Amino acid sequence: MLRRCLDFELVARRKNLNDGSNCSSSVMLQSDERFASEDTQLVPLKPSNDSPRCILPGIGLHLNALAITSQDNKNTKHETLSSGRQLSLPGSTASFHSPKSSQDPLHESLTSASTERDVVAVESGVLPAEDASQTCGYLVSEERRLENAGETESCKRCNCKKSKCLKLYCECFAAGVYCIEPCSCQDCFNKPIHEDTVLATRKQIESRNPLAFAPKVIRSADSLPEPGDESSKTPASARHKRGCNCKKSSCLKKYCECYQGGVGCSINCRCEGCKNAFGRKDGSVLMETEGEQEEDEMETCERSTVDKKMEKTEIPNNEEQNLGSALPRTPLQFCRSLVQLPFSSKCKPPRSLLAIGSSSGFYTGNKYGKPNILHSQSKFEKSLQTAPEDEMPEILRSNCSPNSGIKTASPNSKRVSPPNTGFGSSPSRRSGRKLILQSIPSFPSLTPQH
DNA sequence: GAGTTTGAAACT
DNA sequence: CAGTTTCAAACTC
């Protein structure tokens, strides 16, 4: 069901966005396709577009999906609802294997397949109406966001010089997508042409750290919200899987992965002087709407929890003001529950976001500043909330929750201990991975359940 | 745009 | 596993 919901969401967006800016529409479409492809376990793709990162479709999904989608979007745009003409390529693996010098072709093929699926699903009415309704708010926002992105900046990707884009230093590689045109990397091996190398490297990295390509920000299972049940949302539900280790940034800058992911620091963090606006390691939460303000206002951080509570209530108001719209207020919980922020001016979605989820759509190149992230997210949160969790890999849920989670890795160690974890069991994650890497021995059992 | 800072990733 | 180095993003000027 969850998966279906996501797909639906995507589809809906697609439709809505078709008219939107190129960027947005394309992105959205991509995501859709991506999902579809995942379902089918197709392999993938390569991101073709410029803004794969701008929008991440969701949860648990691999970035590759995005990549794929980007092109897909384009394709879909035209074809979408119409015919499923497409490719001659048989979608799946076959396409993946054949490295084509030009990425587009590959993409196209992959995309097409997925696209069709989406369309079919939609048309068939497989998706529940509910989903659609939930998605509405999101869609609207998304649309807006996309527009903004298109207006403002073009998405930028990696800029690797020495890593050959084969290490986690490379955002593209870390996200599981191939580098594409927008990248400014040098000696890049993260391309379809070097598929073998990429896969081998990934395997190597995963052997060292099975969760290396897993979403960095996860939501704990216990916080799984019921759809529409805001009360159950827990601010702390989203956490960085491994925790940060910030020393100087006070977790107030994007150097901090927790902050970058829009989540609060947790007990897993080894940060010093944590002032994370999304939640401090000690459990206190700063509710400032404007993250930047927070930086300036140290006092705020020092406020007692009581004060903080007060802030929480206030926040929503701020949002409204900022947005100048009728956006629903965002309960504190809301802010935190969602995961990622759309920080980037560059359209690059927080990595973790991608994984987590659904929210991906939210992040985008928003022109809003960091703080805005919250705002924008809040818009969608309601509708989206359910999705993220759904997509969350079981493994993450069960093992990675802030409390139990990855703790395998002691709070002090960065590296995640190798698998014995139930990592492999998570269908969603698996599927995402599959898209990218055809198959990874280490996760044999993962299979998308539909 | 160049240079600096930062912290994750990689290495020893 | 701790310490160090490398790296590229984030940030500053």
Side-chain angles (χ1 to χ4, degrees), chain A residues 153 254 341-349 364-367 373:
Chain A
E153 32 207 340
K254 290 174 74 177
L341 311 181
F343 285 101
S344 67
S345 47
K346 294 178 180 177
C347 288
K348 105 192 195 186
T364 51
N366 70 9
K367 30 177 142 182
I373 293 168

Side-chain angles (χ1 to χ4, degrees), chain A residues 11-226:
Chain A
V11 172
R13 286 191 230 155
R14 185 193 293 165
K15 288 182 178 181
N16 292 338
L17 295 177
N18 280 341
D19 331 317
S21 66
N22 295 339
C23 176
S24 60
S25 63
S26 64
V27 172
M28 294 302 294
L29 292 177
Q30 288 182 344
S31 347
D32 294 356
E33 290 215 307
R34 196 229 178 26
F35 279 101
S37 56
E38 280 189 354
D39 289 350
T40 51
Q41 293 184 346
L42 295 180
V43 185
L45 18 146
K46 170 191 202 144
S48 58
N49 230 340
D50 359 27
S51 39
R53 289 190 170 193
C54 295
I55 306 173
L56 301 179
I59 320 182
L61 294 181
H62 216 280
L63 290 183
N64 281 341
L66 290 179
I68 294 171
T69 32
S70 62
Q71 285 192 351
D72 295 350
N73 292 342
K74 292 178 181 178
N75 293 339
T76 358
K77 244 186 189 170
H78 319 324
E79 306 176 353
T80 333
L81 305 174
S82 49
S83 56
R85 96 202 191 151
Q86 288 229 9
L87 341 167
S88 23
L89 290 181
S92 28
T93 39
S95 58
F96 184 63
H97 287 294
S98 57
K100 303 185 173 175
S101 56
S102 81
Q103 298 176 354
D104 291 341
L106 176 60
H107 245 317
E108 216 175 340
S109 63
L110 293 176
T111 316
S112 59
S114 58
T115 303
E116 284 188 333
R117 287 179 48 121
D118 286 352
V119 172
V120 172
V122 173
E123 291 178 354
S124 62
V126 172
L127 301 177
E130 299 174 1
D131 294 341
S133 62
Q134 290 179 353
T135 316
C136 293
Y138 166 79
L139 292 176
V140 174
S141 317
E142 176 80 1
E143 222 171 323
R144 192 176 300 167
R145 181 175 58 78
L146 291 175
E147 289 177 0
N148 293 340
E151 295 174 358
T152 55
E153 32 207 340
S154 55
C155 297
K156 180 173 126 182
R157 298 195 65 190
C158 75
N159 190 34
C160 307
K161 292 181 175 60
K162 298 181 179 180
S163 68
K164 297 182 183 349
C165 298
L166 288 178
K167 297 195 174 182
L168 292 173
Y169 295 128
C170 175
E171 291 194 2
C172 299
F173 181 76
V177 300
Y178 288 118
C179 290
I180 56 177
E181 234 175 279
C183 294
S184 303
C185 44
Q186 298 173 11
D187 299 327
C188 180
F189 275 72
N190 186 29
K191 294 183 176 178
I193 301 175
H194 299 103
E195 175 191 339
D196 294 342
T197 302
V198 172
L199 294 176
T201 303
R202 282 187 62 119
K203 281 185 179 181
Q204 182 183 344
I205 292 172
E206 287 189 321
S207 66
R208 192 196 313 155
N209 175 6
L211 297 180
F213 295 95
K216 293 187 177 178
V217 176
I218 61 175
R219 294 184 65 174
S220 63
D222 57 321
S223 64
L224 240 180
E226 295 270 324

